[in-house]
Amino acid sequence: VRWIVLLACLASLQAGAHDADLTEARNYRNGTGVAVDKARAVRLFQLAAEAGDADAAFTLANMLRDGEGVPQDRVAAQRWLQRAADGESPEALQELAMAEPDPARAAQLMKQSAHALTHRVR
Amino acid sequence: VEARGAQQADKSFVAADPAVLETIAAEHAATIAYVKTPVGKTDFRLSSYFSDVGDSSALEVVNQAQTAYAARYVKANLPKLASLPVLSMTAAFKSGYAGPGDYTDVAPGSLALNNAADLYLYPNSLYVVKVSGAELKGWLETAAKRFNTIDPALTTPQELINPGHPSFNFDTVTSKDFAYRIDVTKPVGQRIVAMTWRGKAVDPAQSFLVATNNYRASGGGNFPGLDGSKTVFAAPDNNRDVLIDYVRATKTLTRAANGSVRSWRFAAVKTAGPVVFHSAPGKLALAREAGVDNVTELQADDGQGKGFALYAVDLSQ
């Protein structure tokens, strides 16, 4: 039980660190309290995404796909979208579902998206 | 323990086991009966065949349900925000992507749970964001990427719809308090004009609460500023359940109260040639019933082999 508590504490500490990084990334992207700096936002989203933040990975995928603050790179965008989905971002799973030509696979992804929503941490 | 997928390498599914089918027959029948449970009635047909040109008959009740839910929640739990206007955005999720049968279409009469799924396809949760007037305009500008840029001088037919921007990303408001025009002759980013709240031009600095879903609020479709940072609250309820509860409370939906408000129109422009779009054939009467009177059916078969008809929209009206 002690191990479980310790692991849970570590997980929440890590989630807290993610939150700080993600907030800063969003602030630079949207110019909230700081001057807009999209390139810096991309770097911060990437750091958070590399540390395992699925929401950061999803936004990074969007910015790469649309060439926002970074040269457009659809291949990298798709890779980060998949990583966001692997990390149970409900929106990334939905994005994959809506682009999926196979209806059975699409339904499965949508189900995973709905499930991920039920245990989202933020 | 062994686990195997029901789907095989060639994407086909394993055959159903008759013993299992028999065991679950009663549950299956009960499920079918359940999804046909009536939740209310409607005196008009709610369809999305002409959502792209202003028919809000399948959208308004969704926006009404979301607005009512958000306003109630804010009043009870976020009193500091209670003075802000509450709007709602939704989109036609079914807009012919998979063929002419792939539209929302709910017949007048009893409205059941499966109809609610037709009206709200995705298992999203209701999220509310706080945005400025400028951000609201940016949202609608991104939604308006649904349209190609139309050259009024061209005499040849021009396609209205940009297929690269799916219908689920064409968010619109349907509120008698909010109005705007979409000028499709302008480039992306300059199309939303005459945006008003209660008859007054929207101040870029004024704040609005907008009810939407988790997909949009968290960055789906990459709408400007919507990446989770504007979310004021994430409801525990999904949008479809919010809709079902609203229909239950309303009992009977009527065209006048739930299917006729148009917050947006195209900015009037005379075009030298036709502006065309594709939808299921033979549906023109539905556009008329919804008050969309600037549409004509040019060809019952658009010649592209998928069963769509070719329609034209007169942007000067």
Side-chain angles (χ1 to χ4, degrees):
Chain A
V1 171
R2 209 177 287 168
W3 276 109
I4 293 171
V5 170
L6 182 63
L7 281 174
C9 287
L10 284 173
S12 76
L13 273 177
Q14 201 190 8
H18 285 179
D19 281 347
D21 294 346
L22 186 63
T23 301
E24 198 188 1
R26 286 170 173 170
N27 288 346
Y28 279 106
R29 184 183 190 215
N30 299 317
T32 311
V34 293
V36 171
D37 186 341
K38 300 259 185 185
R40 187 164 181 173
V42 168
R43 287 197 300 275
L44 290 167
F45 278 118
Q46 179 148 355
L47 280 176
E50 280 167 355
D53 187 312
D55 291 337
F58 182 62
T59 303
L60 179 61
N62 280 333
M63 295 181 85
L64 284 160
R65 189 195 61 205
D66 291 351
E68 183 188 335
V70 64
Q72 187 176 56
D73 185 342
R74 287 177 183 276
V75 175
Q78 193 61 29
R79 202 169 58 232
W80 283 111
L81 179 64
Q82 186 59 55
R83 207 151 140 185
D86 293 344
E88 296 203 287
S89 151
E91 293 76 26
L93 287 160
Q94 179 165 349
E95 191 87 48
L96 291 176
M98 294 189 300
E100 172 58 54
D102 172 12
R105 174 81 186 126
Q108 195 182 14
L109 285 163
M110 203 56 99
K111 215 178 270 179
Q112 286 174 11
S113 170
H115 176 74
L117 258 182
T118 63
H119 59 74
R120 148 169 270 167
V121 283
R122 58 165 87 88
Chain B
V1 176
E2 189 195 5
R4 280 188 298 158
Q7 198 171 15
Q8 306 180 101
D10 64 356
K11 300 228 169 186
S12 67
F13 288 90
V14 296
D17 184 328
V20 174
L21 278 185
E22 197 181 319
T23 313
I24 63 163
E27 284 74 12
H28 183 65
T31 305
I32 301 291
Y34 172 74
V35 300
K36 291 189 174 165
T37 306
V39 292
K41 287 181 194 164
T42 172
D43 82 349
F44 66 101
R45 190 164 159 185
L46 301 92
S47 72
S48 64
Y49 300 107
F50 299 99
S51 296
D52 283 332
V53 290
D55 179 355
S56 63
S57 67
L59 305 175
E60 188 180 351
V61 66
V62 174
N63 275 333
Q64 287 175 320
Q66 294 183 169
T67 303
Y69 182 102
R72 204 166 53 233
Y73 184 96
V74 168
K75 202 174 163 198
N77 302 294
L78 301 165
K80 281 184 184 162
L81 300 176
S83 63
L84 298 181
V86 179
L87 294 174
S88 174
M89 295 266 198
T90 197
F93 298 132
K94 294 168 72 177
S95 205
Y97 179 73
D102 181 34
Y103 288 89
T104 299
D105 191 349
V106 177
S110 175
L111 204 150
L113 288 176
N114 60 330
N115 300 130
D118 197 15
L119 287 165
Y120 205 98
L121 185 63
Y122 297 128
N124 289 125
S125 288
L126 188 146
Y127 277 35
V128 175
V129 296
K130 181 172 167 244
V131 295
S132 67
E135 287 160 343
L136 191 56
K137 179 174 181 292
W139 190 335
L140 295 170
E141 289 283 3
T142 301
K145 288 183 182 173
R146 178 74 176 155
F147 304 111
N148 292 318
T149 306
I150 299 301
D151 178 354
L154 272 187
T155 53
T156 48
Q158 295 180 74
E159 292 283 349
L160 178 66
I161 304 301
N162 163 19
H165 188 87
S167 68
F168 57 75
N169 281 337
F170 179 41
D171 284 359
T172 58
V173 179
T174 49
S175 160
K176 60 178 173 41
D177 289 327
F178 191 80
Y180 56 105
R181 302 232 167 204
I182 300 176
D183 187 345
V184 291
T185 67
K186 296 285 194 306
V188 164
Q190 301 169 30
R191 291 172 169 178
I192 304 301
V193 292
M195 193 170 79
T196 58
W197 165 253
R198 294 195 171 153
K200 284 187 191 152
V202 170
D203 179 342
Q206 83 182 102
S207 295
F208 291 87
L209 296 177
V210 183
T212 179
N213 60 31
N214 66 291
Y215 176 76
R216 182 71 72 242
S218 307
N222 202 18
F223 282 57
L226 297 180
D227 53 14
S229 50
K230 303 282 189 289
T231 302
V232 175
F233 75 90
D237 295 303
N238 71 45
N239 301 67
R240 192 188 299 160
D241 288 338
V242 168
L243 170 66
I244 289 166
D245 287 347
Y246 185 83
V247 174
R248 278 208 173 103
T250 308
K251 293 187 178 75
T252 300
L253 304 180
T254 65
R255 170 71 77 185
N258 310 101
S260 56
V261 165
R262 291 181 66 180
S263 276
W264 71 274
R265 285 167 189 276
F266 292 112
V269 59
K270 186 129 188 63
T271 58
V275 175
V276 300
F277 65 100
H278 308 255
S279 187
K283 305 293 186 191
L284 194 60
L286 293 177
R288 296 277 184 273
E289 282 170 27
V292 178
D293 46 17
N294 57 344
V295 170
T296 47
E297 186 170 358
L298 296 182
Q299 299 165 23
D301 178 350
D302 68 4
Q304 294 184 2
K306 289 184 178 164
F308 286 98
L310 188 70
Y311 292 90
V313 57
D314 181 351
L315 298 177
S316 72
Q317 292 182 32

